[in-house]
Amino acid sequence: MTVTPSSARDAPTVYVAPIVTMDAAAPDAEAFAVRGGRIIAVGTVDAARAAAPDADLEELDGVVLPGLIDAHMHMERAGLKALDYVSDEDDVDTYLQRMRDSFDDDGPEDPPFEDRIRALVRVQPLLHSLGITGVVDPAVTIDEMRGYQEAHRRGLLTMRTVAMPFLDIGTPRFPDIDAAIGHLDGTGVSTGFGDDMLRIGPIKVYADGEALKGQALLEQPWDDSGYTGLQRISDDDFTRLVEWCGAHGWGVGTHAVGGGAVALLARAYARAGDAVAARRFQAIHAYLEPGDDAIRTLAEIGTIASLQPSIIWHNGAGLRAKLGERAERANPVRSWLDAGAVLALGSDGPFFAFDPRHLMWQTITRRIAGEDEPLSMAEAITIEEALAGYTTGAAYASLAERDRGAIRVGMQADWALWSADPRTVATDALRTLAVRRTEVGGRTVHGGDS
């Protein structure tokens, strides 16, 4: 189903249902009122009606949660793959299966520009049907940015999108750090520029490579050869880039899989001062033997832990085969949280599993594909913490913690109606919950009258 966006309802509405607010001060409510795309009251039915006495009242069949935010989703590429693999009549379950079946297909390399618009129009309703109302696209090329901007200009962007500009340093376009800095300096904008629907996030760079290819930069050798992995950017160059970005309004999100790369982030990010928290610097992936000291340092200076349970679900068995016991604490979500880091959960979809129900289940159970035994449960988290990773934490990573991630007065009316409360169902039942309706700023983008 394709959704053509309409303006948010001007007339107020009071919605009645059990509500999981994700607001620590008042975690549960029974009603909320919306006017002009914003939440104007949350609490009892009487309180919501008192705030909007002229409002229509709608009783909802299910449990309301804030709209989920996938903090690491290649949405435009997900849409291009959708054009290739699903018809207009196919639903999200078919899409999920087709993406699993086409795991090794990265999608078209240089699609016609109009296909980028078609791709976004096709994929957004599929993602909305999973309760997702926002994404952080973690590696946006110049052509992808043009696609997002044009979709927004035409009023076709229904997913709140944070675009992280991708600087592939070492390629002809960005042969070195000076070229990357020159490019950023010449744009005239920086992290945070944009509006509620499309905003520029931190830049994206790579510190190391992929774990299953043996490219993650570790502090201890991969094997007896002494090889510790691939470092894609030197310490000096990375530190210089980070310092420049911190001084010029840019955040930095760094692909850092291995502990050696995470340690590099800890050393370099510490040189950026207050910009780390203000511009939402990220440690991306950070799942293979990150050291306790590096985790603690990054958390203390305000680095976001942008983690993807999908990768360890897919790669866990292979890492066990390569590293044995060393793989058991892979994706140490518990350690990041205990250190005080803000956790933003994402999927790295469409290339890895991106159903948020499945990925929250993975962080709780530590199960991995193809194996009966979970990884070490010492790194498991609770459903409440997983929900926070997809709501309040991901909203913070989106530079939108005052607008999204909770059902709270003043917030955008971004919410989803679930068939049951994820906090109270049996853990394995989490993956089968249905999302019956999704709203973005008072617009129905899935279910209801969409």
Side-chain angles (χ1 to χ4, degrees), residues 71-346:
H72 196 93
M73 159 59 78
H74 302 273
M75 184 170 69
E76 198 167 312
R77 284 192 265 173
L80 290 166
K81 288 196 69 175
L83 294 182
D84 285 342
Y85 285 97
V86 298
S87 72
D88 288 344
E89 290 74 35
D90 287 329
D91 63 11
V92 71
D93 291 330
T94 301
Y95 181 49
L96 291 167
Q97 183 60 52
R98 298 275 168 79
M99 294 302 98
R100 285 193 291 269
D101 294 343
S102 63
F103 180 82
D104 294 322
D105 180 2
D106 289 342
E109 186 172 328
D110 189 21
F113 181 73
E114 281 300 317
D115 277 5
R116 296 189 178 279
I117 311 304
R118 291 176 55 232
L120 289 169
V121 170
R122 181 67 190 96
V123 77
Q124 289 175 117
L126 295 168
L127 299 179
H128 289 320
S129 68
L130 295 171
I132 298 172
T133 58
V135 301
V136 178
D137 190 323
V140 176
T141 66
I142 291 171
D143 287 340
E144 286 173 330
M145 190 67 215
R146 289 180 177 133
Y148 279 124
Q149 184 177 2
E150 180 61 15
H152 186 24
R153 187 190 71 79
R154 296 184 193 181
L156 298 174
L157 201 61
T158 61
M159 186 74 71
R160 300 193 194 276
T161 303
V162 174
M164 295 178 65
F166 178 37
L167 276 63
D168 196 1
I169 296 168
T171 61
R173 190 173 197 103
F174 303 111
D176 53 29
I177 292 298
D178 290 325
I181 289 174
H183 172 77
L184 293 173
D185 200 28
T187 63
V189 297
S190 62
T191 296
F193 178 78
D195 60 23
D196 290 337
M197 291 307 300
L198 182 61
R199 190 173 302 282
I200 294 176
I203 65 166
K204 167 71 172 294
V205 294
Y206 277 74
D208 63 357
E210 298 177 32
L212 281 188
K213 294 180 179 178
Q215 298 170 338
L217 182 64
L218 304 179
E219 294 186 293
Q220 300 299 319
W222 277 88
D223 51 37
D224 293 340
S225 71
Y227 170 73
T228 57
L230 173 67
Q231 183 167 347
R232 292 187 56 174
I233 187 169
S234 72
D235 286 41
D236 288 346
D237 278 351
F238 184 63
T239 301
R240 186 155 66 91
L241 177 64
V242 164
E243 289 182 327
W244 186 90
C245 286
H248 290 83
W250 283 98
V252 180
T254 309
H255 169 114
V257 172
V262 176
L264 169 61
L265 265 60
R267 294 191 298 270
Y269 282 9
R271 304 284 292 271
D274 293 342
V276 174
R279 299 299 177 180
R280 311 301 152 87
F281 280 48
Q282 297 181 15
I284 298 173
H285 308 317
Y287 67 80
L288 193 56
E289 299 186 322
D292 291 341
D293 288 344
I295 288 175
R296 189 178 308 110
T297 295
L298 288 166
E300 287 175 352
I301 62 178
T303 308
I304 294 164
S306 178
L307 309 184
Q308 298 77 42
S310 49
I311 298 179
I312 205 63
W313 165 257
H314 182 81
N315 289 351
L319 291 173
R320 264 184 174 158
K322 280 180 175 287
L323 294 171
E325 281 294 317
R326 291 173 63 183
E328 288 304 308
R329 296 188 73 140
N331 203 30
V333 188
R334 173 85 273 144
S335 293
W336 282 102
L337 282 174
D338 287 351
V342 173
L343 171 66
L345 288 178

Side-chain angles (χ1 to χ4, degrees), residues 408-429:
R408 184 188 300 141
V409 173
M411 293 279 197
Q412 301 275 5
D414 294 1
W415 54 272
L417 181 68
W418 290 54
S419 56
D421 186 340
R423 303 171 304 173
T424 61
V425 300
T427 300
D428 285 344

Side-chain angles (χ1 to χ4, degrees), residues 8-56:
R9 301 179 190 90
D10 291 327
T13 304
V14 170
Y15 298 99
V16 179
I19 301 163
V20 180
T21 68
M22 298 307 297
D23 181 351
D28 295 278
E30 61 183 26
F32 66 108
V34 173
R35 186 194 299 270
R38 293 271 179 177
I39 297 168
I40 60 171
V42 182
T44 65
V45 175
D46 288 345
R49 299 207 69 168
D54 56 335
D56 294 331

